[in-house]
Amino acid sequence: MKKRVSLQGFPVDIVSFESALNIAMSAVDNGENMQIVTINPEMIEAAKRNKDFTNILKQAELVVADGVGIKIALKLKGVNQERIGGVDLSRSLIEKCSQNNLRLALLGAKDEVMNTLVKKLKDEFNNINIVFAHNGYFSNENDILNQIKEARPHVFLCALGSPKQEFLIYRLKEMLQGCVMIGVGGSFDVFAGFVKRAPVVWQKLGLEWLYRVIKQPQRIKRIFPTLPIFLFESIIDSVKK
Ligand code: UDP
């Protein structure tokens, strides 16, 4: 079961990793669509300036806490929540597809990343049923959406970066049935081995973001001043309650 709390007006579901996975799989079993958002401070700050994005975040069936900033903001409200990252959740969804012979669709990342990813998944899971795979650089969005619709996936992983991936999933949701759809950011680059994930110790310390900034210094622009602003507003938000 999940409990939903509000962070500065944006929803976050309080769930364990296992329950998030079970909730997603029950949606597939019940023939329902589910948009999963892995929410982080950058998304919340972006949504404050974009009404459509705000509405998409609010209508998502499952919103899990990604990023240490969200964890801290929840803590300020007295809520303990483990971090549920897109990389881990999508990895588990892929495993579920393999175990239960579910149709998997993949969209996003550069063409060479996608080709390597498909090869790797087929090597690792010999019964994986990939019904759609396309890189994330296209101009014909309607064609792409129609092709995914035709493929009738049970699980759709979308790695276009935020908010592009959340907008596309929102459109696709109207066209599918019984599909779990999740925006997974740079996860395909990690799965395909093009980007190295932070060592587990860094992850456990909540410093994965710092590792990524060190490896890709251009990411600093995303974090500053967004993260301090978000944390400051989270303090105000927690005092109000
Ligand atoms: N990307 C894409 N199409 C685009 C823009 C980005 O497929 O038009 C991909 C990009 O190649 C990368 C991912 O989206 O694989 C975004 O990764 P990023 O590290 O920015 O996402 P984060 O994990 O920070 O959300």
Side-chain angles (χ1 to χ4, degrees):
M1 281 308 286
K2 67 179 165 76
K3 184 177 130 209
R4 183 160 275 204
V5 300
S6 158
L7 278 187
Q8 301 178 43
F10 293 90
V12 185
D13 292 319
I14 307 308
V15 277
S16 66
F17 185 89
E18 271 317 298
S19 341
L21 199 55
N22 290 338
I23 290 169
M25 285 301 106
S26 337
V28 173
D29 286 346
N30 298 333
E32 289 160 9
N33 284 333
M34 171 166 283
Q35 176 164 14
I36 306 180
V37 169
T38 61
I39 205 162
N40 62 33
E42 295 98 277
M43 286 163 86
I44 290 185
E45 291 304 319
K48 285 177 187 169
R49 297 186 298 271
N50 183 334
K51 209 160 171 278
D52 292 336
F53 191 32
T54 295
N55 292 337
I56 290 177
L57 296 183
K58 288 188 175 172
Q59 61 74 51
E61 286 76 13
L62 186 60
V63 183
V64 295
D66 194 2
V68 69
I70 299 289
K71 212 175 143 167
I72 294 171
L74 287 170
K75 192 102 190 157
L76 288 168
K77 295 202 150 197
V79 180
N80 277 319
Q81 169 62 46
E82 65 180 290
R83 190 186 151 213
I84 302 181
V87 175
D88 298 311
L89 198 52
S90 46
R91 166 106 211 150
S92 295
L93 287 168
I94 293 171
E95 282 167 9
K96 290 280 180 197
C97 284
S98 160
Q99 288 157 7
N100 303 310
N101 197 25
L102 299 176
R103 293 184 289 274
L104 173 65
L106 307 165
L107 177 67
K110 297 203 178 104
D111 203 37
E112 55 171 340
V113 173
M114 180 52 83
N115 292 337
T116 310
L117 174 64
V118 169
K119 226 177 269 153
K120 278 202 167 186
L121 291 179
K122 285 186 174 163
D123 282 348
E124 194 178 344
F125 307 97
N126 51 24
N127 60 336
I128 195 87
N129 187 7
I130 301 173
V131 291
F132 175 90
H134 197 285
N135 68 64
Y137 297 86
F138 50 85
S139 50
N140 47 342
E141 183 168 304
N142 285 340
D143 288 353
I144 293 283
L145 292 177
N146 280 319
Q147 285 171 38
I148 300 171
K149 181 185 173 187
E150 293 292 307
R152 295 186 302 118
H154 296 107
V155 172
F156 172 53
L157 307 183
C158 189
L160 300 176
S162 188
K164 216 172 179 177
Q165 58 197 17
E166 283 76 27
F167 275 90
L168 185 136
I169 289 175
Y170 181 68
R171 280 194 70 197
L172 188 64
K173 204 152 86 160
E174 292 300 307
M175 303 168 71
L176 295 177
Q177 225 183 335
C179 183
V180 167
M181 292 157 262
I182 177 169
V184 295
S187 299
F188 292 175
D189 302 304
V190 174
F191 291 154
F194 284 70
V195 170
K196 218 169 144 264
R197 205 174 169 192
V200 177
V201 187
W202 288 62
Q203 291 176 36
K204 290 221 163 106
L205 290 171
L207 293 176
E208 194 163 12
W209 62 273
L210 181 60
Y211 184 87
R212 294 181 84 183
V213 168
I214 293 168
K215 291 280 170 191
Q216 299 165 275
Q218 69 277 17
R219 295 185 80 92
I220 195 112
K221 280 189 258 143
R222 289 212 213 162
I223 294 181
F224 294 102
T226 306
L227 191 58
I229 291 173
F230 171 78
L231 290 175
F232 177 70
E233 285 168 348
S234 295
I235 293 170
I236 301 195
D237 188 44
S238 67
V239 173
K240 273 198 256 160
K241 276 268 152 192

